[in-house]
Amino acid sequence: MKQADGTYGWLVAEAAAVLSGTGAADPRRQARRLVSAALAIPQPDLFGHPDRAVDEQQISRVRALLRRMVAGEPLSRIFERREFWGLEFSLSVDTLDPRPETETVIEAVLRREPDRSAPGRLLDLGTGTGCLLLALLAEFPAASGVGIDIAEGAARTAASNAVNLSLADRARFVVGDWATAVSGKFDVILANPPYIASKGLALLPGEVACHDPWRALDGGGDGLQSHRATAEAASRLLSPHGIFASEIGAGQEDAVAAIMKENSLVVDGIEKDLAGIPRCVIARPAPHGRRRQKKVGMRCRPV
């Protein structure tokens, strides 16, 4: 049924038609998200009151944001927020936009740590928005954790997200290099390091290449440079029965598994995302492996 001009339903239909013309996936769903966020109204209101009138200012706002979407800017960047693991995270120019496939890392840890009451100590290497650390802290109410990022803006964004999610009392964020930033032992270490080979950066989709920080994407010549750094850090910082869960790029599972082994870590599994792509390598300390003895003190600063 055609909606009357100047109503919620008409505005959603107009936006969906424009997005459909760009080849966007599920344009009507995206249009509802756009109109809901632009007008600051819950999506159920769009379903329940499609004939409610909108004024010219509201129409102009939706159309202005729609032009940005058509130009390739992701909706999450337009509104600077993204839902991850059922939680809402603010984004900034220094952070990656968390993708659904990154939830594979959370799922991998939860399958191996069924006791949600455990008072573990967590470490997130290259924390970005803090989504990995904060999602796990929400699942483990007795745990605490540290997130590290080389970008001060990212660490500040993560700290703000912790406050907004009422997790700041159990999360601390510092600026530093993941290989040397902390000492001590952690029960769970998480990482979503840069893993795109440098020559592949220009081939990324525009919504990634033009809006995510390249420093958080560039994994060096072979895409494995950051995996080597995080594996070395994990081999030093994992508790004897700890877990290291790292996101990987498509086709990197064998190479990353070899890097883990080179750092006295035993691969405990390789988890696939919903698309069936190997997305997370999980490792544990080798029971009797030769462990690095180098002691590194705190070389970071809190935000």
PDB file of all heavy atoms in Angstrom, residues 5 28 37 63-64 138 146 214 225 233 249-250 274:
ATOM      1  N   ASP A   5       2.384  11.053   0.998  1.00  0.00           N
ATOM      2  CA  ASP A   5       3.589  11.880   1.045  1.00  0.00           C
ATOM      3  C   ASP A   5       3.700  12.569   2.402  1.00  0.00           C
ATOM      4  O   ASP A   5       2.697  12.954   3.014  1.00  0.00           O
ATOM      5  CB  ASP A   5       3.540  12.946  -0.050  1.00  0.00           C
ATOM      6  CG  ASP A   5       3.715  12.342  -1.436  1.00  0.00           C
ATOM      7  OD1 ASP A   5       3.906  11.119  -1.519  1.00  0.00           O
ATOM      8  OD2 ASP A   5       3.657  13.095  -2.422  1.00  0.00           O
ATOM      9  N   ARG A  28      15.574  -1.723   2.216  1.00  0.00           N
ATOM     10  CA  ARG A  28      14.491  -1.270   3.096  1.00  0.00           C
ATOM     11  C   ARG A  28      14.927  -1.310   4.562  1.00  0.00           C
ATOM     12  O   ARG A  28      14.594  -0.415   5.334  1.00  0.00           O
ATOM     13  CB  ARG A  28      13.228  -2.097   2.885  1.00  0.00           C
ATOM     14  CG  ARG A  28      12.012  -1.469   3.552  1.00  0.00           C
ATOM     15  CD  ARG A  28      10.706  -1.987   3.004  1.00  0.00           C
ATOM     16  NE  ARG A  28       9.590  -1.229   3.552  1.00  0.00           N
ATOM     17  CZ  ARG A  28       9.123  -0.101   3.044  1.00  0.00           C
ATOM     18  NH1 ARG A  28       9.682   0.396   1.950  1.00  0.00           N
ATOM     19  NH2 ARG A  28       8.105   0.524   3.604  1.00  0.00           N
ATOM     20  N   ALA A  37      17.362   6.550  12.999  1.00  0.00           N
ATOM     21  CA  ALA A  37      18.467   7.275  13.632  1.00  0.00           C
ATOM     22  C   ALA A  37      18.399   8.768  13.332  1.00  0.00           C
ATOM     23  O   ALA A  37      18.642   9.603  14.213  1.00  0.00           O
ATOM     24  CB  ALA A  37      19.801   6.700  13.157  1.00  0.00           C
ATOM     25  N   ARG A  63      17.315  13.251   3.930  1.00  0.00           N
ATOM     26  CA  ARG A  63      17.873  13.307   2.581  1.00  0.00           C
ATOM     27  C   ARG A  63      19.357  13.663   2.585  1.00  0.00           C
ATOM     28  O   ARG A  63      20.130  13.145   1.772  1.00  0.00           O
ATOM     29  CB  ARG A  63      17.074  14.298   1.743  1.00  0.00           C
ATOM     30  CG  ARG A  63      15.697  13.770   1.346  1.00  0.00           C
ATOM     31  CD  ARG A  63      14.877  14.804   0.607  1.00  0.00           C
ATOM     32  NE  ARG A  63      13.621  14.238   0.124  1.00  0.00           N
ATOM     33  CZ  ARG A  63      12.640  14.967  -0.423  1.00  0.00           C
ATOM     34  NH1 ARG A  63      12.774  16.286  -0.536  1.00  0.00           N
ATOM     35  NH2 ARG A  63      11.535  14.371  -0.837  1.00  0.00           N
ATOM     36  N   ALA A  64      19.759  14.520   3.503  1.00  0.00           N
ATOM     37  CA  ALA A  64      21.180  14.884   3.592  1.00  0.00           C
ATOM     38  C   ALA A  64      22.018  13.672   3.999  1.00  0.00           C
ATOM     39  O   ALA A  64      23.102  13.427   3.438  1.00  0.00           O
ATOM     40  CB  ALA A  64      21.363  16.019   4.589  1.00  0.00           C
ATOM     41  N   ALA A 138      31.157  -7.917  29.970  1.00  0.00           N
ATOM     42  CA  ALA A 138      29.712  -8.000  30.172  1.00  0.00           C
ATOM     43  C   ALA A 138      29.270  -9.440  30.409  1.00  0.00           C
ATOM     44  O   ALA A 138      28.292  -9.690  31.112  1.00  0.00           O
ATOM     45  CB  ALA A 138      28.980  -7.418  28.966  1.00  0.00           C
ATOM     46  N   VAL A 146      42.330  -5.057  30.768  1.00  0.00           N
ATOM     47  CA  VAL A 146      43.111  -3.933  30.265  1.00  0.00           C
ATOM     48  C   VAL A 146      43.031  -3.949  28.748  1.00  0.00           C
ATOM     49  O   VAL A 146      43.181  -4.998  28.113  1.00  0.00           O
ATOM     50  CB  VAL A 146      44.588  -4.025  30.702  1.00  0.00           C
ATOM     51  CG1 VAL A 146      45.385  -2.862  30.133  1.00  0.00           C
ATOM     52  CG2 VAL A 146      44.701  -4.085  32.213  1.00  0.00           C
ATOM     53  N   TRP A 214      43.862   3.426   8.433  1.00  0.00           N
ATOM     54  CA  TRP A 214      44.759   2.473   7.774  1.00  0.00           C
ATOM     55  C   TRP A 214      45.711   1.823   8.756  1.00  0.00           C
ATOM     56  O   TRP A 214      46.130   0.684   8.553  1.00  0.00           O
ATOM     57  CB  TRP A 214      45.518   3.170   6.630  1.00  0.00           C
ATOM     58  CG  TRP A 214      44.702   3.257   5.373  1.00  0.00           C
ATOM     59  CD1 TRP A 214      43.365   3.507   5.293  1.00  0.00           C
ATOM     60  CD2 TRP A 214      45.156   3.067   4.033  1.00  0.00           C
ATOM     61  NE1 TRP A 214      42.955   3.506   3.986  1.00  0.00           N
ATOM     62  CE2 TRP A 214      44.034   3.249   3.180  1.00  0.00           C
ATOM     63  CE3 TRP A 214      46.380   2.805   3.462  1.00  0.00           C
ATOM     64  CZ2 TRP A 214      44.107   3.139   1.794  1.00  0.00           C
ATOM     65  CZ3 TRP A 214      46.469   2.705   2.073  1.00  0.00           C
ATOM     66  CH2 TRP A 214      45.343   2.864   1.253  1.00  0.00           C
ATOM     67  N   GLN A 225      52.569  -9.209   9.984  1.00  0.00           N
ATOM     68  CA  GLN A 225      53.481  -8.499  10.885  1.00  0.00           C
ATOM     69  C   GLN A 225      52.886  -8.356  12.290  1.00  0.00           C
ATOM     70  O   GLN A 225      53.556  -8.622  13.297  1.00  0.00           O
ATOM     71  CB  GLN A 225      53.791  -7.125  10.299  1.00  0.00           C
ATOM     72  CG  GLN A 225      54.700  -6.256  11.142  1.00  0.00           C
ATOM     73  CD  GLN A 225      55.003  -4.936  10.446  1.00  0.00           C
ATOM     74  OE1 GLN A 225      55.319  -4.913   9.249  1.00  0.00           O
ATOM     75  NE2 GLN A 225      54.885  -3.835  11.165  1.00  0.00           N
ATOM     76  N   ALA A 233      53.722 -11.426  22.317  1.00  0.00           N
ATOM     77  CA  ALA A 233      53.197 -10.861  23.562  1.00  0.00           C
ATOM     78  C   ALA A 233      52.395 -11.895  24.321  1.00  0.00           C
ATOM     79  O   ALA A 233      52.526 -12.033  25.546  1.00  0.00           O
ATOM     80  CB  ALA A 233      52.339  -9.635  23.250  1.00  0.00           C
ATOM     81  N   GLY A 249      42.632 -12.823   8.947  1.00  0.00           N
ATOM     82  CA  GLY A 249      42.063 -12.561   7.638  1.00  0.00           C
ATOM     83  C   GLY A 249      41.804 -13.850   6.889  1.00  0.00           C
ATOM     84  O   GLY A 249      42.329 -14.922   7.236  1.00  0.00           O
ATOM     85  N   ALA A 250      40.986 -13.777   5.853  1.00  0.00           N
ATOM     86  CA  ALA A 250      40.665 -14.954   5.049  1.00  0.00           C
ATOM     87  C   ALA A 250      41.944 -15.571   4.480  1.00  0.00           C
ATOM     88  O   ALA A 250      42.790 -14.880   3.912  1.00  0.00           O
ATOM     89  CB  ALA A 250      39.717 -14.560   3.921  1.00  0.00           C
ATOM     90  N   LEU A 274      30.165 -16.739  10.412  1.00  0.00           N
ATOM     91  CA  LEU A 274      28.878 -17.199   9.885  1.00  0.00           C
ATOM     92  C   LEU A 274      28.918 -17.453   8.385  1.00  0.00           C
ATOM     93  O   LEU A 274      28.081 -18.182   7.845  1.00  0.00           O
ATOM     94  CB  LEU A 274      27.789 -16.181  10.213  1.00  0.00           C
ATOM     95  CG  LEU A 274      27.430 -16.059  11.703  1.00  0.00           C
ATOM     96  CD1 LEU A 274      26.384 -14.974  11.915  1.00  0.00           C
ATOM     97  CD2 LEU A 274      26.931 -17.391  12.243  1.00  0.00           C
TER      98      LEU A 274
END
